[in-house]
Amino acid sequence: MARLLLSSLIEDASASDDATVSRVVRTLLRSPVTDAERVGERLCVFGWESARSGDAAISWRYRVVGADTGTEYVSFGLAMPTGPDLLLSVFGLQLQIALNGLASTSEEEVGCFMELMAAVRAA
């Protein structure tokens, strides 16, 4: 099974004190080969809130799964100290777009991303 660039970026980010999710997404978008091309199938990102108690950080889990095979390529957690959890929904869709490449992204996905961004700005 091919290794996703995302897997390497997650490892690098977890070992770094100044890593950001935007850096991960930018690196994926700039890559000459998408992760979907690396594994030979469209990738889907699923995310859900995994824990929150009181004023604690918002924590989500994500899974990257092949659309055709159902193969789970990577799973990881992401925590955000403050802010609306809608940002983590936006990240999941943004990540899916970056993994598949903008050229392979449907108008519907882009439209959904734009709607989510507008909701974040309004919040």
Side-chain angles (χ1 to χ4, degrees), residues 52-101:
R52 184 192 285 196
S53 59
D55 293 333
I58 302 163
S59 179
W60 275 44
R61 296 287 312 159
Y62 295 91
R63 290 180 54 216
V64 177
V65 177
D68 296 329
T69 65
T71 301
E72 182 179 302
Y73 290 99
V74 65
S75 66
F76 62 97
L78 183 63
M80 184 174 66
T82 61
D85 63 347
L86 187 56
L87 284 172
L88 295 173
S89 294
V90 171
F91 170 70
L93 185 52
Q94 184 181 38
L95 180 60
Q96 182 169 302
I97 291 167
L99 291 171
N100 291 302

